[in-house]
Amino acid sequence: MEKEITIIVPVYNVEKYISSCVESLANQSIYENLEIILIDDHSKDKSYDICVKASKNYPNIHVYKNKGKGVAAARNMGIQLTVTPFLMFVDSDDQLYPYTCFKMLNFINKHSLNIVMGDIEMFPAQTPNYVWKSLFGSGDYILDLETNGTKAIHCPSPCNKLFRTEWLKNQQFSFPEGMTFEDAFAIIPLMLKAKKIGLIDKVVYRYRKREESSSIMDQLFLNPQNFLDHLTVNEHLLEIQVATPKMKEEICQFVARTYNGFLNAFERNFSQFTEKQKKELFDRLTTLYQQVPFPLISSFITTKNKWLYYSLYEEDWETFKAGYFTTEFLRVKNQKITIPIRRTRVTAKLESNPFSIWIDFIENKDTALRLIGEIVLPHVHFDKLKNQLDLVLKIDEKEVLIEAKTFPRYDSLHTVGKEAVLGVFFDLPHEFLMKLNKNNISPLSYRLKDESTSETVTLPLRFSGMIGKFQGVYPAAKGSFRLVWEKEHKQLLIYATTVWDSFKYQFNKIFKGRKLRVGGKLRLAYWLTKPYFFFRKNIVLIGERGDTFQDNAAHFFKYAASQDKHHYYIGQAGSPGYEQAALYGKVIKKDSIKHYLYLLNACQLVNAYDIDAYMKPTNYTKEAYYNIFGDLINYQRIFIQHGITYNDVYYPLSKYKTNYAKVLISNHYEKERFMRKGNYQESDLLTAGLSRFDKLLEPNIKKDEKKTILIMPTWRVGLAGKSYLQHSEETASTMNTFKQSAYFRFFNTLINDPKFLRFLKQHQLQCKFYLHYEFQGFLECFDRNEQIQFVQKEPIQKLLKQSDLLITDYSSVFFDFLYMKKPVIFTQFDQSDFFATHYKRDYIDFQSIFIGDVAFDQNEVLMALESLAKRNFESKVDHQQIHREFFTYCSENNRSTLWNMLNQIIGVRAKSSKRRRDNEEAPQRKVMSE
């Protein structure tokens, strides 16, 4: 039978899907009329073998090999091979319905058309309501792209269409090779040339939305080149001469809609673009948007991207380059806050911005309660604010204005281009707070004044989700006052309180009528047990991740438990960490009633990781726990770090974000940065070395006869979320994303590199590979060989002590090796990406001071190893300088130093608490930072 349609299928790494795709083609009702061309594009999996097998089972299927030039080249090859009257394209992970070819062939012949298109459905995900979906639902008909079919250009896929081959070749049609968005570039102009397109009012094509994020489209916004490629497409479309203004407007709509996603991604990933890349984008985009009427992009403007649209339409390179507006004052008009910007083409919509003040820290000072926060105005930078800004406090129906004070904050997520945002604080005098009545409380608000017009606007203060941790009773010179966080209304209530008020408050927190409130049972148990079991006991709870006992908290616990009976370790029952901790002291099972009660009665929580995340009960989120029990909590959070901080991670460690009372630091760099960027006072910093350092220099572990290389890389944000309480099972999606990452490719290739394995054998070395805690769910992804030992279950400190050389990327464990005067090789194959997306670079740049060889690829790793082998693997680091620079506060007994510091704090707090019990009426007090 004469063939009518050629189906062209590019194939690349789809061994999981190609069989179902081929089956859907073989199941076509007019299969005998089809020629199916499978073009393998140099697949690395078994796709080609599956295709060859299919061709043996189905005589209409022919298999060809391309040279790995991409999908466009494969399709072009298929076009050249086509000799049938019609052709269509199918992607190798998608499917057709059995009737697809029959219906499309009948319609294109019946109406003598050059293109016919049908509907698309997505599977297994739900199909979005695309712009072009409005064309369907009215039966089969012919679209006129100059009148009733302009929306069709928003569906540039070649895969839901049937093309007349002779006409297609007469247009000298081909897909542009080497471009990501070849479909839109090629198909939209082709549709415009056809002018009339048949529409089949039925789903003809099934697009597979993979669980894995491996498809090109899922990686759309991760590559800066894609921004330029799509820009090229849109420039190309705007150059097309069309017959009607309606079609021209539709092309502009397409440009505005499709590039909006890229502009939003540009805003999100702003720091990843170099100034050169920004300048090329700016020059081309300003030209592009001069052709797109501003009203067409109006619906795409958001709070976050309006600075971008402003800079493009007003051709403001400085704003585009910086990523923000700069101003020192704001306008107030008709109760709205606006930015004073120049306007020639844009509307007033770009002037308004959601100005807000967010409070995230509260501190009780000697004579005032201080509310600390930041001014949030997306993509607007203030060095200072010249507007008058006051907190409005209502006392007996009269307004009292409290002037705002501003300061630079370096711990904000809202910094763009600049290091600091504008922080703000309000000092609420105790004398005013003691006049506040709980029966007549107004929400806290602030007032901004425009000095040029004298107009003002009053807006409510906003509070971070963790503000509940500051609830409780605070002392004042004459009495006490209570802070209550009403989550439902997002209000912080402040009012004077007495002993009787406190009793009624606690009763109402336990009972709602005759029923217990959420958390009421635990609160009742707290008050019943406190006088008998916890009175004047200085309970200290120590922990790590819950299931581990190997880092600084573990080493400190071993020492502390031998010094005092009220130091306890929090561990997950049945975990190796729990059993190990029990050998040294008292261990409390996480999530037991004992854990609940001891946590509420503790005076200190000591942890090397996220204290709130790992030490709270598992059944509560951090926010919920502090909303319910925040008023009972009286403990200090003591952060003793799991490594020396050398990257700019002061946002998550900031005092205003964490409420850490004390932070351990090991060197003068940390001290300066925690004070300047982390908002800590010098008295908040514990100057001592890491507790685990004490054991590093002890020669009590038997060494292997062979020298040992330890490969121990850190993790990457985006490849795995923080585990916090426990690892979740990795899905096919996360597994596939991990296997496609540069991280996996580098380390998997390194540990299986024949040259590396020969080096180990030549020098009689053993190699141990330890994957980061957050990545241990991906262990099965790595290829194994007999020379590489995977050592996830070995104690980390034992590994460090027994190893002679460390290969890492950026893990702070390199400090441990420097402390032991052992050599380090840094494999920084993704240096620019790491410091752009994972951590920000800080005081170590790996070049200004030699701490180890830096290798950017595998060959450089091997060169560094060869160099070390010639020195018998001895470090050439100046260790005296290293000690001065990075181990400034370390001693021979860091645990003892830390113990003495924390014990002294407990003594001060105990004396302070006794004085308050003797002199104040309130039964409970919130003790803030000392």
Side-chain angles (χ1 to χ4, degrees):
M1 183 177 293
E2 188 175 345
K3 302 295 186 289
E4 297 262 14
I5 300 174
T6 296
I7 301 178
I8 300 166
V9 186
V11 177
Y12 181 72
N13 287 356
V14 285
E15 61 181 4
K16 291 169 60 177
Y17 311 111
I18 184 61
S19 294
S20 61
C21 174
V22 169
E23 185 178 351
S24 79
L25 304 184
N27 287 338
Q28 290 298 298
S29 61
I30 57 169
Y31 167 72
E32 296 300 327
N33 297 77
L34 305 181
E35 186 86 17
I36 300 169
I37 297 177
L38 306 180
I39 303 174
D40 182 74
D41 196 36
H42 207 64
S43 294
K44 298 176 181 178
D45 61 6
K46 297 179 181 178
S47 298
Y48 178 73
D49 296 336
I50 297 171
C51 290
V52 171
K53 184 177 179 181
S55 68
K56 293 177 180 178
N57 295 333
Y58 301 104
N60 290 13
I61 294 179
H62 306 281
V63 181
Y64 297 87
K65 268 191 174 250
N66 200 21
K67 297 181 179 180
K69 294 182 178 180
V71 64
R75 286 175 178 167
N76 290 337
M77 179 180 177
I79 294 171
Q80 296 304 314
L81 293 169
T82 298
V83 294
T84 58
F86 303 99
L87 66 83
M88 62 190 303
F89 302 95
V90 173
D91 285 343
S92 52
D93 52 353
D94 298 339
Q95 299 172 6
L96 301 182
Y97 277 105
Y99 55 75
T100 295
C101 292
F102 173 76
K103 281 187 169 292
M104 298 184 84
L105 182 62
N106 276 354
F107 200 86
I108 202 168
N109 278 327
K110 180 179 179 181
H111 298 282
S112 300
L113 297 167
N114 293 318
I115 302 176
V116 171
M117 65 181 285
D119 202 355
I120 300 174
E121 72 176 6
M122 188 178 288
F123 77 102
Q126 186 174 356
T127 307
N129 187 26
Y130 295 114
V131 173
W132 49 267
K133 284 284 187 179
S134 61
L135 297 172
F136 293 89
S138 302
D140 300 347
Y141 64 102
I142 297 174
L143 294 169
D144 184 336
L145 266 69
E146 295 180 353
T147 56
N148 67 336
T150 57
K151 295 294 181 188
I153 70 166
H154 293 272
C155 181
S157 170
C159 295
N160 66 329
K161 298 174 178 68
L162 180 67
F163 302 91
R164 188 176 295 274
T165 305
E166 183 181 6
W167 176 79
L168 190 76
K169 291 184 176 182
N170 287 340
Q171 308 304 315
Q172 298 183 327
F173 176 84
S174 66
F175 290 94
E177 299 180 17
M179 177 184 289
T180 306
F181 308 98
E182 68 281 346
D183 288 359
F185 188 95
I187 297 299
I188 293 177
L190 192 68
M191 294 168 72
L192 294 174
K193 288 178 181 179
K195 295 184 181 179
K196 296 184 186 299
I197 294 176
L199 185 138
I200 305 292
D201 194 18
K202 200 170 183 65
V203 174
V204 299
Y205 192 85
R206 303 191 74 216
Y207 169 75
R208 185 189 300 273
K209 178 66 175 176
R210 299 191 200 178
E211 286 186 10
E212 316 95 88
S213 57
S214 60
S215 72
I216 293 174
M217 297 308 290
D218 286 332
Q219 304 295 321
L220 197 62
F221 302 123
L222 301 182
N223 183 357
Q225 183 59 41
N226 289 345
F227 289 73
L228 299 175
D229 281 355
H230 203 287
L231 186 51
T232 298
V233 171
N234 285 343
E235 290 168 337
H236 175 60
L237 295 179
L238 288 174
E239 290 173 355
I240 298 174
Q241 299 296 316
V242 294
T244 65
K246 186 174 183 180
M247 178 49 73
K248 184 67 175 180
E249 182 178 332
E250 202 66 58
I251 291 175
C252 290
Q253 284 275 18
F254 178 89
V255 169
R257 180 182 62 81
T258 58
Y259 213 79
N260 180 67
F262 285 91
L263 290 181
N264 290 335
F266 179 76
E267 184 274 331
R268 290 193 304 270
N269 305 306
F270 183 80
S271 61
Q272 296 184 43
F273 289 81
T274 64
E275 184 170 331
K276 182 180 179 181
Q277 289 172 325
K278 292 175 187 175
K279 189 67 168 74
E280 181 178 359
L281 278 172
F282 177 79
D283 289 343
R284 293 174 62 181
L285 283 171
T286 49
T287 301
L288 182 87
Y289 280 103
Q290 298 303 316
Q291 303 173 69
V292 180
F294 185 80
L296 294 183
I297 63 100
S298 183
S299 62
F300 301 121
I301 295 174
T302 67
T303 298
K304 290 185 176 181
N305 69 21
K306 63 175 56 180
W307 67 276
L308 263 171
Y309 280 114
Y310 168 81
S311 62
L312 294 175
Y313 274 91
E314 296 295 346
E315 300 183 64
D316 184 346
W317 161 241
E318 292 303 318
T319 295
F320 187 90
K321 177 177 68 173
Y324 53 82
F325 301 103
T326 300
T327 187
E328 292 184 344
F329 62 94
L330 298 168
R331 297 294 188 201
V332 179
K333 186 175 182 181
N334 300 324
Q335 293 294 296
K336 290 185 178 180
I337 297 174
T338 63
I339 309 166
I341 57 175
R342 170 179 59 88
R343 286 198 295 115
T344 56
R345 294 191 67 206
V346 300
T347 67
K349 182 175 182 177
L350 294 187
E351 289 182 324
S352 62
N353 244 314
F355 181 95
S356 58
I357 296 177
W358 287 83
I359 301 298
D360 53 7
F361 190 79
I362 299 175
E363 188 174 20
N364 196 26
K365 312 294 282 186
D366 291 338
T367 61
L369 182 74
R370 177 168 290 180
L371 307 183
I372 303 174
E374 64 177 292
I375 294 174
V376 176
L377 192 54
H379 293 284
V380 177
H381 176 74
F382 302 94
D383 284 320
K384 57 184 175 181
L385 181 63
K386 292 184 176 179
N387 298 73
Q388 182 179 329
L389 180 63
D390 301 294
L391 183 136
V392 181
L393 197 63
K394 287 190 177 181
I395 302 175
D396 298 329
E397 301 301 324
K398 294 181 180 179
E399 289 186 349
V400 175
L401 300 183
I402 298 171
E403 183 182 1
K405 298 292 194 330
T406 59
F407 65 99
R409 277 191 67 166
Y410 298 90
D411 61 341
S412 174
L413 281 179
H414 299 101
T415 57
V416 180
K418 292 279 188 178
E419 270 196 313
V421 299
L422 201 61
V424 62
F425 68 86
F426 304 94
D427 282 339
L428 284 60
H430 287 166
E431 60 181 293
F432 291 165
L433 301 183
M434 295 307 298
K435 296 177 182 179
L436 296 176
N437 188 323
K438 70 174 182 178
N439 297 318
N440 187 20
I441 303 174
S442 299
L444 293 175
S445 59
Y446 61 91
R447 182 167 296 158
L448 183 78
K449 183 178 182 180
D450 183 344
E451 303 292 347
S452 64
T453 63
S454 296
E455 278 198 57
T456 63
V457 61
T458 303
L459 298 168
L461 277 179
R462 296 187 178 185
F463 297 88
S464 75
M466 297 290 286
I467 207 71
K469 68 174 70 172
F470 297 102
Q471 295 180 98
V473 175
Y474 291 78
K478 296 180 180 179
S480 55
F481 56 91
R482 179 179 291 279
L483 263 62
V484 177
W485 171 239
E486 285 195 342
K487 181 177 180 294
E488 298 77 12
H489 302 102
K490 298 181 180 180
Q491 293 181 11
L492 183 71
L493 308 182
I494 308 174
Y495 55 84
T497 189
T498 64
V499 173
W500 178 240
D501 288 333
S502 292
F503 175 80
K504 290 191 293 183
Y505 174 85
Q506 291 299 330
F507 186 86
N508 289 328
K509 290 286 283 185
I510 297 171
F511 298 103
K512 184 178 182 180
R514 294 185 179 182
K515 295 183 179 180
L516 288 169
R517 291 183 183 274
V518 175
K521 185 183 295 186
L522 179 58
R523 186 177 289 266
L524 181 61
Y526 168 84
W527 286 112
L528 291 176
T529 58
K530 187 175 183 68
Y532 303 102
F533 298 100
F534 301 105
F535 186 64
R536 294 192 179 182
K537 288 183 180 179
N538 296 314
I539 294 171
V540 178
L541 301 183
I542 304 171
E544 288 182 1
R545 289 186 172 106
D547 60 344
T548 62
F549 185 76
Q550 60 187 13
D551 214 322
N552 293 308
H555 288 280
F556 177 67
F557 175 72
K558 294 176 184 179
Y559 183 88
S562 69
Q563 304 294 316
D564 181 84
K565 64 180 181 181
H566 295 309
H567 284 63
Y568 302 85
Y569 194 84
I570 304 294
Q572 290 178 4
S575 69
Y578 182 92
E579 303 300 331
Q580 293 169 32
L583 299 175
Y584 298 94
K586 298 177 181 178
V587 185
I588 296 175
K589 293 180 181 179
K590 197 170 192 302
D591 296 325
S592 65
I593 186 63
K594 187 174 183 180
H595 172 216
Y596 278 60
L597 291 174
Y598 274 65
L599 185 62
L600 291 177
N601 285 281
C603 68
Q604 287 181 348
L605 302 188
V606 182
N607 203 308
Y609 297 90
D610 187 324
I611 297 172
D612 289 321
Y614 287 112
M615 302 193 78
K616 68 170 179 60
T618 305
N619 290 337
Y620 293 95
T621 64
K622 288 192 285 187
E623 183 177 341
Y625 184 71
Y626 291 117
N627 288 342
I628 297 171
F629 302 112
D631 63 303
L632 300 181
I633 292 168
N634 197 36
Y635 50 68
Q636 286 185 318
R637 298 164 180 83
I638 312 296
F639 181 58
I640 60 173
Q641 300 213 60
H642 54 276
I644 293 176
T645 300
Y646 77 96
N647 289 312
D648 188 348
V649 292
Y650 305 102
Y651 163 75
L653 299 180
S654 161
K655 182 172 184 175
Y656 295 162
K657 302 296 182 185
T658 63
N659 196 22
Y660 289 164
K662 305 290 178 183
V663 174
L664 183 142
I665 58 169
S666 298
N667 62 53
H668 59 93
Y669 293 110
E670 288 183 299
K671 180 179 180 179
E672 186 274 332
R673 283 155 175 81
F674 271 102
M675 291 179 66
R676 180 170 62 90
K677 292 189 172 185
N679 304 304
Y680 292 91
Q681 300 297 313
E682 188 171 1
S683 59
D684 298 329
L685 303 177
L686 305 171
T687 51
L690 302 181
S691 292
R692 70 171 185 253
F693 282 177
D694 289 354
K695 293 291 183 181
L696 289 178
L697 303 181
E698 293 182 2
N700 61 343
I701 294 182
K702 184 180 179 181
K703 285 272 284 104
D704 293 306
E705 292 183 6
K706 290 184 176 181
K707 288 186 180 295
T708 302
I709 295 176
L710 175 63
I711 301 178
M712 195 173 183
T714 190
W715 65 299
R716 296 294 188 279
V717 68
L719 293 182
K722 290 185 177 179
S723 57
Y724 283 116
L725 300 175
Q726 59 187 2
H727 285 295
S728 59
E729 292 186 6
E730 302 300 343
T731 63
S733 175
T734 57
M735 282 285 192
N736 199 67
T737 300
F738 181 78
K739 289 175 74 173
Q740 292 198 18
S741 68
Y743 178 97
F744 169 77
R745 290 197 303 270
F746 182 88
F747 286 106
N748 189 56
T749 303
L750 175 63
I751 63 176
N752 291 284
D753 186 343
K755 293 180 181 178
F756 177 64
L757 298 178
R758 282 198 299 270
F759 177 86
L760 296 178
K761 189 173 183 179
Q762 176 186 350
H763 295 279
Q764 296 184 320
L765 303 170
Q766 61 179 350
C767 181
K768 298 183 177 182
F769 184 77
Y770 187 94
L771 195 60
H772 192 276
Y773 183 88
E774 303 292 348
F775 279 175
Q776 291 186 15
F778 298 123
L779 273 171
E780 64 183 70
C781 296
F782 288 85
D783 299 320
R784 308 295 178 101
N785 64 72
E786 60 183 13
Q787 288 181 260
I788 307 297
Q789 302 174 41
F790 285 74
V791 290
Q792 299 306 124
K793 295 183 179 180
E794 286 194 34
I796 289 181
Q797 192 159 53
K798 179 182 177 182
L799 280 173
L800 303 185
K801 292 185 68 172
Q802 289 186 337
S803 299
D804 300 277
L805 162 67
L806 173 69
I807 296 179
T808 187
D809 44 8
Y810 314 95
S811 172
S812 63
V813 78
F814 76 78
F815 284 110
D816 296 65
F817 271 72
L818 292 177
Y819 199 74
M820 294 184 288
K821 301 181 181 179
K822 295 180 180 180
V824 182
I825 296 176
F826 296 94
T827 57
Q828 298 184 351
F829 55 92
D830 61 345
Q831 191 183 84
S832 58
D833 288 342
F834 181 84
F835 289 117
T837 62
H838 191 87
Y839 292 139
K840 284 197 276 185
R841 193 193 303 270
D842 197 20
Y843 62 87
I844 293 182
D845 62 9
F846 300 95
Q847 270 80 40
S848 61
I849 179 172
F850 183 81
I851 56 178
D853 292 295
V854 180
F856 295 101
D857 57 40
Q858 285 177 222
N859 288 333
E860 292 185 1
V861 173
L862 293 170
M863 290 171 59
L865 285 169
E866 293 287 358
S867 177
L868 278 167
K870 292 177 182 177
R871 301 197 307 271
N872 196 30
F873 299 97
E874 295 294 327
S875 172
K876 64 177 182 179
V877 169
D878 182 347
H879 286 287
Q880 287 187 341
Q881 181 187 8
I882 292 296
H883 192 91
R884 289 193 303 270
E885 296 285 339
F886 303 137
F887 307 118
T888 317
Y889 307 122
C890 296
S891 66
E892 293 182 355
N893 198 337
N894 295 298
R895 295 178 299 172
S896 175
T897 303
L898 177 59
W899 161 263
N900 290 331
M901 289 177 175
L902 296 185
N903 207 36
Q904 184 179 9
I905 295 168
I906 290 173
V908 171
R909 283 168 59 87
K911 290 178 183 178
S912 176
S913 296
K914 184 178 186 303
R915 284 196 301 270
R916 285 196 293 273
R917 284 195 300 269
D918 292 340
N919 299 326
E920 298 171 4
E921 292 183 332
Q924 52 163 342
R925 274 112 189 143
K926 179 73 88 175
V927 179
M928 303 303 294
S929 58
E930 298 297 334

